[in-house]
Amino acid sequence: EVQLVESGGGLVQPGGSLRLSCAASGFSFSNYAMSWVRQAPGKGLEWVSVISSGGLRTTYAESVKGRFTISRDNAKNTLSLQMNRLKPEDTAVYYCAKSRYYGRDTSGIKGQGTQVTVSS
C-alpha cells in the first residue's frame, strides 16, 4: 500500500521560510517522479513542482520559481520542498504526490497534506 506522510507545515510570516518533508513507503520510490501540489482555501488543486525519479530534473510552477526548491533522497525514500520568501498567497495545504508521469500532474496518489499558513 502506498503511503505518503507530509510534515513541516506551520505558520510563518511573509518573507519567511519553511521546509516540507514527505516520507514515502509501499512502492519503489526511486522509480517514480514525485510532485508537490497544493490547495488553497476554496480553490482547486494547484501543481507546484515535480522532480524526476533520479532527482536530476526539476520543474516549477511560475508562481514559485526561484523561491521553492524540490529535492529527494532515494536512499531514505524522502521528498522535500524548501520554501523561501513565502507570500500570503502560498497559504495552502501542501501534498506530496506519487506522479504518474514527469509533468504537471495533480492526479497521483497523495498524502494527507500539511497546512502552510503565511500571515503576519
Side-chain angles (χ1 to χ4, degrees):
E1 178 188 1
V2 173
Q3 287 198 328
L4 299 165
V5 180
E6 301 92 339
S7 61
L11 173 64
V12 63
Q13 291 187 342
S17 298
L18 281 176
R19 186 176 181 87
L20 306 184
S21 295
C22 172
S25 61
F27 65 105
S28 296
F29 181 75
S30 61
N31 288 347
Y32 290 88
M34 295 292 295
S35 293
W36 286 98
V37 300
R38 67 187 182 184
Q39 187 164 26
K43 297 189 176 181
L45 284 172
E46 177 188 13
W47 173 81
V48 174
S49 182
V50 62
I51 187 168
S52 62
S53 58
L56 296 182
R57 275 195 303 166
T58 58
T59 305
Y60 298 90
E62 285 298 321
S63 58
V64 307
K65 193 176 293 184
R67 300 187 297 120
F68 290 10
T69 302
I70 189 171
S71 61
R72 66 191 296 163
D73 184 337
N74 284 346
K76 296 182 178 180
N77 286 3
T78 58
L79 178 73
S80 298
L81 185 69
Q82 177 66 42
M83 305 187 296
N84 298 329
R85 304 200 310 275
L86 283 160
K87 304 175 181 180
E89 51 263 44
D90 294 318
T91 295
V93 177
Y94 284 71
Y95 299 92
C96 161
K98 175 177 173 283
S99 297
R100 296 181 301 123
Y101 55 88
Y102 182 89
R104 299 171 185 266
D105 179 26
T106 60
S107 65
I109 296 172
K110 304 173 190 60
Q112 85 289 348
T114 187
Q115 176 71 47
V116 171
T117 303
V118 184
S119 175
S120 54

